[in-house]
Amino acid sequence: MMERRRMDAALLVVFLGHLATALEVPLDLLEKLPQPPTITNQSPRDYIIDPRENIIIHCEAKGNPHPSFSWTRNGTHFDIDEDSNVNMRPHSGTLVVDISREKAEHYEGLYQCTARNKHGTAVSNNIFVRQSRSPLWSKEKIKPIVVQEGVSLVLPCRPPVGLPPPIIFWMDNNFQRLPQSSRVSQSLNGDLYFSNVLREDSRNDYICYARFPHTQTIQQKQPITVKVINLDALNDTMAAFYNDTDLFSEDPLEERKPAFLIPSGPSSSKMVLRGQVLEMECIADGLPTPEISWTKVSRDFPAKRTSFLHYQKTLRIVNVSESDAGDYRCTARNRLGSVHHTIHVSVKAAPYWLSGPPRNLVLAPGENGVLTCRASGTPKPTITWAMNGIPIENSPKDLSRKVEDDTIIFTDVQTGSSAVYQCNVSNDYGYLLANAFVNVLSESPRVLTPANKVYQVVKNHQALMDCASFGSPMPRITWFKESRSSTLDGDPYILHDNGTLEIHVAQGRHSGKYTCVAQNFLGNYENHIYLEVKEPTRILKQPEYKVVQRGRSVVFECKVKHDPSLTPIMTWLKDDGELPDDERFIVDLDSLTITDVTENDVGVYTCIMNTTLDHDSASAELTVVEKPDPPTDLELTDQKKRSVQLTWTPGDEHYSPIHKFLIQYEDSLHHRGHWHNLTEVPGTKTTAHLKLSPYVHYTFRVLAVNAVGFSHPSSSSRIYKTEPAAPDENPTGVKGFGTQHDNLVISWKPLSDLQSNGPGLHYRVMWRQQGVDSEWTTVTVANNSQFVVSGTPTFVPYEIKVQAVNDHGDGPEPAIAHGYSGEDLPLAAPRNVQAMVRNSTLAEVHWDPVLPKHTRGHLKGYKVYYRREYSIHKHNPHHVEEQILTFSGNHSHGMLPGLHPFSRYSFNVRAYNGKGEGPPSLTQHFETPEGVPGAPTSLIVTNPNLDSLTLEWSPPHDRNGHITGYTLKYQPVNNSNEVGPVEELALLANETSVTLFNLKYSTRYKFYLNAKTVRGAGPAISQEVVPIINEALISQLDVDVGTGTRGISTGNTQTSHPIAPSAPRHPSHKVRPVSPFGNVSSSVGEEGTLISWEYWGPEKNIYVEYIVENSEGEEEWQKELVNGSQNIMLKGLKGGLSYRVRLVAKGHHDQPLHHSEELLVTVPAVASRQVDIATQGWFIGLMCAIALLILILLIICFIQRNKGGKYPVKEKEDAHTDPEFQPMKEDDCTFGEYSDNEDHKPLKGSRTPSNGTVKRDDSDDSLVDYGEGGDGQFNEDGSFIGQYSGKTASRDTGEGHESSEAPSPINAMNSLNSFV
């Protein structure tokens, strides 16, 4: 039955505990609500005071109404009013005791504070007030201690008992801490232990100090004198110290195994409280000094809470828990043995809360609640309850309250049941006291979170929106967003018990207005808040690792993206600290620049972008490199005659590893001030074994090399002199040759000063004629590089030797070199010279080599001189320069490539040596056979009709044989350049034209024509044309072509004008000259006039010539050379003029010039790029006035002219001799004739009828407007024959009437402009 009751009570506790939790609120935010007292501040339980200062015992509490305070001292009421030294602070329970008139020890005792108002009473802990004490050391005389070397020793401290206990340390007279080690250490009680003493432990100032932390005072013990002696010294001094000395007279000890000084015995025990610090120590005696180690039996040490102090002699475990109980073993060990000690540790516990102290309850009338006081301890503590400071069993009965051990259960509470309950938990090692009130209130809901609060969170982060509320009974919280269509309950929203709404991963769509509503049966309360979800701050481009040379600049970039509504702050750190205050550090919006970098700038640089919500950071390291510092401490060791060892100390690498050292030397004997490279060694070495030469005064220096460059040279080493010796080597490069036909020049490369090995260097030169002389001719030559032997036979072999000699002896036996005396021109020419023709362009020449005795030198080879005399087809001689083909080496034949077919050649052969060429052989001749011909010189289309046309061509320039005929191929070509079937015609050799019939109307054709010899067909010339007639186009073409140019220019590859002109009205039957030019065309652009053409002639000197049309005879053609191309840009042509342009091919001086047909090129006038004044108002008005005056003047002149009679055209032509301006005539006021190139061609858009007349157009811009009326005509060459006479052709023949048409004012203006 009892078990059943206990189970019911437990279930009730769980149920009521849930209700109680739901009613807890932060009452400090509700100042106007009734509230029982709550202790907020109190002095510690064990309160140690400074006796020199006033005593302050704290006790602060809150409540509504504000509580009143009272105190008890040593269990009885403490009447403050009766003690003038004690005051209580206003609105507080804190006591202030004035000790100026009373000692502090008078107020020692056990104090407790009580705070009460009408809703209850709260009490403080028992506060044990004691004054701190730092007593002096007792006076004592400490005798010197004499101890034998090697034994153990303990120097006691025994400080006076203080409150709190003092901190102990040992020092000497100079206030320096005594050194401690595994041999000498201080124990936990302050004594100084020596595991074994040494002679150096002797001193007279072993002083123990005690520092009392509360009063900040230090007390000193009398110094202790220790004298350590060995056994012999002990016997000598025994009598002297017998009367006044403590003598340790144990038997003298040698090495011994360990024994514990503390603790004693094989085992001991220790008790420690939970949460405190456990310290255990083992100090051992022994020689040599023992090493201490610790183990825990059956378990491991708690790693994070364990430490070993005092050279492993002390084991320290902090924040002890019940799991730390057990057996701990310390072991002392040296090479003679070991000893163990076991410490049994038990852990007790003063009372401690299991789930915290009981919490205040706020209940509404009729609600239920529970107060829980759950604690533990070892041994198990007892729990007692009090209400308003009175044991609960002595308090008034309350049916709504039921006490169940550590729990008080409240059911159906009513107004007036408010009280403060005290829970006291105690055992043998301490106690816990807690106050918790029960406040019965009836309040409508209210929301404590500020209204319209704005929460800002970063996207993809957690969002928490508070809705702290209060009400009694506790209100229920609901959340809405925007339209309040539904409550926010479920993913992604989480509603916490305290009313907080959580969005685990906030997104942009979650931004907006939220409403939280608090509701109980007394009413409801709502509050609006706002959520703004911001874009995260991210570093898009992080700073990168930089390696920079000192003195240069470096830039760290840090480009960041952030929410535009947030204000970012960029911060740069160096090594997690602020940037140096240096103007070299320039912080921009998204970068950090460091100018003139130094080694102090090395480090890690971090850019941090902060906003009010988040931040992002990135780091990069800067390494500053520099040339290494020069090596130092050069030293010469292992000195020998021909070698020495050099060592050095490397300088600072400056963050760039040294990869090699360069060793240089100066020879102060021969080249003072000049340093030479001797050798290199890897950067990992600091020693070099140097091979030296005799007779040198060496001084060495070393340079370090890293990735940046060379260091400055090190300081020079001392001079190291080597002794002189005979030369080790002879000169190299010994050669013999002749510069004249009767001498022999012996040359060699002299030895350097370093190779001379001693003073007095000279050379012994020896020579003899090979195979003739047996004895060597010897001369001694000073320090030189050659010797000339005169009077030698021409080109004979010699043996030569050159030996180095100095004052200390001869060099090694020299090697024999070979040479020849001087050469002379070959005496004979090759014989039996003949040629074998391989094909039309290749011949092979044979000859008998010249005999060696006639060569008179080193035969270099043979040269073939050959010349083309003439073409067999023409039989006229060619003035071609002689060509030379060289065959190096001793050849007897050679090939002559690149010959002209069907030609006669002459040639001879000559031998040559180093001196020059010998006489030529007899001249021989050979002829090359026929080859394939070249392309026809031209292909011209004439007489194009609807379905027929005529092709005319010229034979190839290079016939290369007898032309046997021609082959003509042609095929139609459509607009997409697709070709149709090929038609082929075979033509006779004497034909130069052919007429093709039955061609398709208005179809483009492509023609291919090539010539043939007996060797085959040559390359073809091509042409494209459309056989169609359009009179207007033909007339237009006649005008464009100018002076008699008919047909279309031809070329090998380019396409002609798409429309072939018809023959003129009176076709010319003159034979066209053969021209190597075709497809000559022009185009005018901004940069100049581009002239293009095709050329198939042999001449390589091509010129473009041009002259102004109608220029006077004394003017010369302007000439520009063409550099091998088939177009040229003429930039010297002036705007507004017409030019005659032609191409000229120039051959040899005796060959005629080849001209292309002339091309008429008109360069339009270029408008001024200056400001156009024609748009200015004043200019327009002025021009109108001038035009009116000119119009009147022209009318008068027209009348005068009509009265003056008629002038035949012929007379006009005769008078038209000067193209320049002619002045106005005074008798009839008419203008003189004016010639302009523009007058001789039709204007754009004009048309020419088939009879050659020019009809007047409606536009003023016509050729007729340049005269007084009537029709004009073109000459056969396309020039305009109409004049300014104002008469028509009919007037000349008497068939027409006079024109009364007045001249156009526009024409008059043009005439005036020409005049001006």
PDB file of all heavy atoms in Angstrom, residues 857-876:
ATOM      1  N   GLY A 857      98.545  24.571-103.357  1.00  0.00           N
ATOM      2  CA  GLY A 857      97.767  24.981-102.186  1.00  0.00           C
ATOM      3  C   GLY A 857      96.693  23.959-101.886  1.00  0.00           C
ATOM      4  O   GLY A 857      96.607  22.904-102.532  1.00  0.00           O
ATOM      5  N   HIS A 858      95.924  24.262-100.889  1.00  0.00           N
ATOM      6  CA  HIS A 858      94.806  23.385-100.543  1.00  0.00           C
ATOM      7  C   HIS A 858      93.698  23.587-101.560  1.00  0.00           C
ATOM      8  O   HIS A 858      93.150  24.693-101.691  1.00  0.00           O
ATOM      9  CB  HIS A 858      94.277  23.709 -99.135  1.00  0.00           C
ATOM     10  CG  HIS A 858      95.259  23.425 -98.046  1.00  0.00           C
ATOM     11  ND1 HIS A 858      95.589  22.162 -97.624  1.00  0.00           N
ATOM     12  CD2 HIS A 858      96.009  24.281 -97.285  1.00  0.00           C
ATOM     13  CE1 HIS A 858      96.474  22.217 -96.657  1.00  0.00           C
ATOM     14  NE2 HIS A 858      96.760  23.503 -96.435  1.00  0.00           N
ATOM     15  N   LEU A 859      93.385  22.524-102.286  1.00  0.00           N
ATOM     16  CA  LEU A 859      92.334  22.629-103.291  1.00  0.00           C
ATOM     17  C   LEU A 859      90.995  22.858-102.606  1.00  0.00           C
ATOM     18  O   LEU A 859      90.523  22.033-101.825  1.00  0.00           O
ATOM     19  CB  LEU A 859      92.278  21.341-104.128  1.00  0.00           C
ATOM     20  CG  LEU A 859      91.181  21.324-105.208  1.00  0.00           C
ATOM     21  CD1 LEU A 859      91.461  22.389-106.271  1.00  0.00           C
ATOM     22  CD2 LEU A 859      91.088  19.930-105.822  1.00  0.00           C
ATOM     23  N   LYS A 860      90.396  23.992-102.893  1.00  0.00           N
ATOM     24  CA  LYS A 860      89.087  24.313-102.301  1.00  0.00           C
ATOM     25  C   LYS A 860      87.942  23.756-103.129  1.00  0.00           C
ATOM     26  O   LYS A 860      86.879  23.441-102.597  1.00  0.00           O
ATOM     27  CB  LYS A 860      88.915  25.833-102.180  1.00  0.00           C
ATOM     28  CG  LYS A 860      89.941  26.502-101.318  1.00  0.00           C
ATOM     29  CD  LYS A 860      89.787  26.107 -99.848  1.00  0.00           C
ATOM     30  CE  LYS A 860      90.758  26.895 -98.986  1.00  0.00           C
ATOM     31  NZ  LYS A 860      90.628  26.526 -97.556  1.00  0.00           N
ATOM     32  N   GLY A 861      88.154  23.620-104.476  1.00  0.00           N
ATOM     33  CA  GLY A 861      87.096  23.127-105.325  1.00  0.00           C
ATOM     34  C   GLY A 861      87.224  23.670-106.730  1.00  0.00           C
ATOM     35  O   GLY A 861      88.299  24.137-107.150  1.00  0.00           O
ATOM     36  N   TYR A 862      86.103  23.628-107.461  1.00  0.00           N
ATOM     37  CA  TYR A 862      86.077  24.068-108.844  1.00  0.00           C
ATOM     38  C   TYR A 862      84.885  24.999-109.059  1.00  0.00           C
ATOM     39  O   TYR A 862      83.837  24.846-108.416  1.00  0.00           O
ATOM     40  CB  TYR A 862      85.965  22.869-109.791  1.00  0.00           C
ATOM     41  CG  TYR A 862      87.189  21.983-109.758  1.00  0.00           C
ATOM     42  CD1 TYR A 862      87.287  20.941-108.841  1.00  0.00           C
ATOM     43  CD2 TYR A 862      88.236  22.204-110.633  1.00  0.00           C
ATOM     44  CE1 TYR A 862      88.409  20.131-108.799  1.00  0.00           C
ATOM     45  CE2 TYR A 862      89.367  21.395-110.608  1.00  0.00           C
ATOM     46  CZ  TYR A 862      89.447  20.356-109.681  1.00  0.00           C
ATOM     47  OH  TYR A 862      90.562  19.572-109.644  1.00  0.00           O
ATOM     48  N   LYS A 863      85.081  25.938-109.987  1.00  0.00           N
ATOM     49  CA  LYS A 863      84.024  26.875-110.341  1.00  0.00           C
ATOM     50  C   LYS A 863      83.713  26.733-111.821  1.00  0.00           C
ATOM     51  O   LYS A 863      84.630  26.703-112.653  1.00  0.00           O
ATOM     52  CB  LYS A 863      84.414  28.310-110.039  1.00  0.00           C
ATOM     53  CG  LYS A 863      84.608  28.603-108.557  1.00  0.00           C
ATOM     54  CD  LYS A 863      84.926  30.064-108.318  1.00  0.00           C
ATOM     55  CE  LYS A 863      85.120  30.344-106.850  1.00  0.00           C
ATOM     56  NZ  LYS A 863      85.432  31.774-106.597  1.00  0.00           N
ATOM     57  N   VAL A 864      82.413  26.647-112.140  1.00  0.00           N
ATOM     58  CA  VAL A 864      81.960  26.554-113.521  1.00  0.00           C
ATOM     59  C   VAL A 864      81.358  27.902-113.905  1.00  0.00           C
ATOM     60  O   VAL A 864      80.385  28.353-113.270  1.00  0.00           O
ATOM     61  CB  VAL A 864      80.929  25.423-113.708  1.00  0.00           C
ATOM     62  CG1 VAL A 864      80.447  25.395-115.155  1.00  0.00           C
ATOM     63  CG2 VAL A 864      81.543  24.089-113.321  1.00  0.00           C
ATOM     64  N   TYR A 865      81.936  28.561-114.886  1.00  0.00           N
ATOM     65  CA  TYR A 865      81.431  29.825-115.416  1.00  0.00           C
ATOM     66  C   TYR A 865      80.607  29.492-116.654  1.00  0.00           C
ATOM     67  O   TYR A 865      81.112  28.867-117.601  1.00  0.00           O
ATOM     68  CB  TYR A 865      82.571  30.764-115.789  1.00  0.00           C
ATOM     69  CG  TYR A 865      83.284  31.382-114.629  1.00  0.00           C
ATOM     70  CD1 TYR A 865      84.130  30.631-113.815  1.00  0.00           C
ATOM     71  CD2 TYR A 865      83.114  32.729-114.330  1.00  0.00           C
ATOM     72  CE1 TYR A 865      84.780  31.194-112.741  1.00  0.00           C
ATOM     73  CE2 TYR A 865      83.762  33.323-113.248  1.00  0.00           C
ATOM     74  CZ  TYR A 865      84.601  32.550-112.459  1.00  0.00           C
ATOM     75  OH  TYR A 865      85.235  33.127-111.397  1.00  0.00           O
ATOM     76  N   TYR A 866      79.337  29.885-116.681  1.00  0.00           N
ATOM     77  CA  TYR A 866      78.512  29.575-117.842  1.00  0.00           C
ATOM     78  C   TYR A 866      77.608  30.758-118.161  1.00  0.00           C
ATOM     79  O   TYR A 866      77.296  31.573-117.284  1.00  0.00           O
ATOM     80  CB  TYR A 866      77.694  28.297-117.632  1.00  0.00           C
ATOM     81  CG  TYR A 866      76.672  28.371-116.520  1.00  0.00           C
ATOM     82  CD1 TYR A 866      75.322  28.577-116.803  1.00  0.00           C
ATOM     83  CD2 TYR A 866      77.046  28.224-115.188  1.00  0.00           C
ATOM     84  CE1 TYR A 866      74.387  28.629-115.783  1.00  0.00           C
ATOM     85  CE2 TYR A 866      76.127  28.272-114.166  1.00  0.00           C
ATOM     86  CZ  TYR A 866      74.790  28.476-114.467  1.00  0.00           C
ATOM     87  OH  TYR A 866      73.860  28.528-113.454  1.00  0.00           O
ATOM     88  N   ARG A 867      77.206  30.834-119.470  1.00  0.00           N
ATOM     89  CA  ARG A 867      76.437  31.975-119.959  1.00  0.00           C
ATOM     90  C   ARG A 867      75.480  31.480-121.050  1.00  0.00           C
ATOM     91  O   ARG A 867      75.826  30.613-121.864  1.00  0.00           O
ATOM     92  CB  ARG A 867      77.362  33.030-120.541  1.00  0.00           C
ATOM     93  CG  ARG A 867      76.660  34.248-121.118  1.00  0.00           C
ATOM     94  CD  ARG A 867      77.574  35.000-122.073  1.00  0.00           C
ATOM     95  NE  ARG A 867      78.830  35.345-121.480  1.00  0.00           N
ATOM     96  CZ  ARG A 867      79.065  36.504-120.823  1.00  0.00           C
ATOM     97  NH1 ARG A 867      78.086  37.378-120.729  1.00  0.00           N
ATOM     98  NH2 ARG A 867      80.248  36.764-120.314  1.00  0.00           N
ATOM     99  N   ARG A 868      74.248  32.004-121.049  1.00  0.00           N
ATOM    100  CA  ARG A 868      73.283  31.747-122.119  1.00  0.00           C
ATOM    101  C   ARG A 868      73.582  32.699-123.257  1.00  0.00           C
ATOM    102  O   ARG A 868      73.447  33.914-123.093  1.00  0.00           O
ATOM    103  CB  ARG A 868      71.854  31.930-121.613  1.00  0.00           C
ATOM    104  CG  ARG A 868      70.796  31.601-122.662  1.00  0.00           C
ATOM    105  CD  ARG A 868      69.414  31.997-122.176  1.00  0.00           C
ATOM    106  NE  ARG A 868      68.379  31.668-123.138  1.00  0.00           N
ATOM    107  CZ  ARG A 868      67.141  32.159-123.118  1.00  0.00           C
ATOM    108  NH1 ARG A 868      66.791  33.012-122.165  1.00  0.00           N
ATOM    109  NH2 ARG A 868      66.265  31.805-124.028  1.00  0.00           N
ATOM    110  N   GLU A 869      73.932  32.159-124.419  1.00  0.00           N
ATOM    111  CA  GLU A 869      74.310  33.015-125.537  1.00  0.00           C
ATOM    112  C   GLU A 869      73.086  33.505-126.295  1.00  0.00           C
ATOM    113  O   GLU A 869      72.980  34.687-126.625  1.00  0.00           O
ATOM    114  CB  GLU A 869      75.255  32.257-126.464  1.00  0.00           C
ATOM    115  CG  GLU A 869      76.595  31.949-125.792  1.00  0.00           C
ATOM    116  CD  GLU A 869      77.581  31.344-126.770  1.00  0.00           C
ATOM    117  OE1 GLU A 869      77.143  30.945-127.871  1.00  0.00           O
ATOM    118  OE2 GLU A 869      78.773  31.284-126.444  1.00  0.00           O
ATOM    119  N   TYR A 870      72.158  32.615-126.606  1.00  0.00           N
ATOM    120  CA  TYR A 870      70.948  33.054-127.293  1.00  0.00           C
ATOM    121  C   TYR A 870      69.939  31.930-127.265  1.00  0.00           C
ATOM    122  O   TYR A 870      70.262  30.761-126.960  1.00  0.00           O
ATOM    123  CB  TYR A 870      71.233  33.478-128.737  1.00  0.00           C
ATOM    124  CG  TYR A 870      71.907  32.420-129.584  1.00  0.00           C
ATOM    125  CD1 TYR A 870      71.156  31.392-130.197  1.00  0.00           C
ATOM    126  CD2 TYR A 870      73.284  32.450-129.781  1.00  0.00           C
ATOM    127  CE1 TYR A 870      71.785  30.428-130.960  1.00  0.00           C
ATOM    128  CE2 TYR A 870      73.905  31.486-130.558  1.00  0.00           C
ATOM    129  CZ  TYR A 870      73.152  30.469-131.140  1.00  0.00           C
ATOM    130  OH  TYR A 870      73.748  29.518-131.891  1.00  0.00           O
ATOM    131  N   SER A 871      68.676  32.311-127.606  1.00  0.00           N
ATOM    132  CA  SER A 871      67.619  31.327-127.768  1.00  0.00           C
ATOM    133  C   SER A 871      67.667  30.805-129.191  1.00  0.00           C
ATOM    134  O   SER A 871      67.777  31.586-130.157  1.00  0.00           O
ATOM    135  CB  SER A 871      66.252  31.955-127.474  1.00  0.00           C
ATOM    136  OG  SER A 871      65.204  31.061-127.826  1.00  0.00           O
ATOM    137  N   ILE A 872      67.588  29.522-129.358  1.00  0.00           N
ATOM    138  CA  ILE A 872      67.666  28.925-130.685  1.00  0.00           C
ATOM    139  C   ILE A 872      66.491  29.381-131.550  1.00  0.00           C
ATOM    140  O   ILE A 872      66.598  29.501-132.772  1.00  0.00           O
ATOM    141  CB  ILE A 872      67.713  27.391-130.564  1.00  0.00           C
ATOM    142  CG1 ILE A 872      68.954  26.983-129.779  1.00  0.00           C
ATOM    143  CG2 ILE A 872      67.695  26.719-131.914  1.00  0.00           C
ATOM    144  CD1 ILE A 872      69.039  25.500-129.498  1.00  0.00           C
ATOM    145  N   HIS A 873      65.357  29.695-130.930  1.00  0.00           N
ATOM    146  CA  HIS A 873      64.181  30.128-131.681  1.00  0.00           C
ATOM    147  C   HIS A 873      64.410  31.500-132.320  1.00  0.00           C
ATOM    148  O   HIS A 873      64.027  31.743-133.462  1.00  0.00           O
ATOM    149  CB  HIS A 873      62.968  30.162-130.758  1.00  0.00           C
ATOM    150  CG  HIS A 873      61.759  30.787-131.379  1.00  0.00           C
ATOM    151  ND1 HIS A 873      61.040  30.176-132.374  1.00  0.00           N
ATOM    152  CD2 HIS A 873      61.150  31.981-131.139  1.00  0.00           C
ATOM    153  CE1 HIS A 873      60.039  30.946-132.720  1.00  0.00           C
ATOM    154  NE2 HIS A 873      60.074  32.053-131.992  1.00  0.00           N
ATOM    155  N   LYS A 874      65.041  32.410-131.588  1.00  0.00           N
ATOM    156  CA  LYS A 874      65.188  33.779-132.065  1.00  0.00           C
ATOM    157  C   LYS A 874      66.546  34.015-132.704  1.00  0.00           C
ATOM    158  O   LYS A 874      66.683  34.873-133.585  1.00  0.00           O
ATOM    159  CB  LYS A 874      64.988  34.771-130.897  1.00  0.00           C
ATOM    160  CG  LYS A 874      63.601  34.731-130.307  1.00  0.00           C
ATOM    161  CD  LYS A 874      63.487  35.765-129.185  1.00  0.00           C
ATOM    162  CE  LYS A 874      62.087  35.755-128.582  1.00  0.00           C
ATOM    163  NZ  LYS A 874      61.941  36.749-127.506  1.00  0.00           N
ATOM    164  N   HIS A 875      67.576  33.310-132.266  1.00  0.00           N
ATOM    165  CA  HIS A 875      68.942  33.457-132.767  1.00  0.00           C
ATOM    166  C   HIS A 875      69.504  34.847-132.549  1.00  0.00           C
ATOM    167  O   HIS A 875      70.480  35.219-133.182  1.00  0.00           O
ATOM    168  CB  HIS A 875      69.040  33.096-134.264  1.00  0.00           C
ATOM    169  CG  HIS A 875      68.833  31.641-134.520  1.00  0.00           C
ATOM    170  ND1 HIS A 875      69.785  30.686-134.221  1.00  0.00           N
ATOM    171  CD2 HIS A 875      67.768  30.968-135.027  1.00  0.00           C
ATOM    172  CE1 HIS A 875      69.321  29.495-134.533  1.00  0.00           C
ATOM    173  NE2 HIS A 875      68.083  29.617-135.019  1.00  0.00           N
ATOM    174  N   ASN A 876      68.878  35.625-131.729  1.00  0.00           N
ATOM    175  CA  ASN A 876      69.484  36.911-131.403  1.00  0.00           C
ATOM    176  C   ASN A 876      70.202  36.771-130.063  1.00  0.00           C
ATOM    177  O   ASN A 876      69.684  36.151-129.133  1.00  0.00           O
ATOM    178  CB  ASN A 876      68.450  38.030-131.332  1.00  0.00           C
ATOM    179  CG  ASN A 876      67.336  37.703-130.363  1.00  0.00           C
ATOM    180  OD1 ASN A 876      66.993  36.534-130.231  1.00  0.00           O
ATOM    181  ND2 ASN A 876      66.794  38.719-129.715  1.00  0.00           N
TER     182      ASN A 876
END
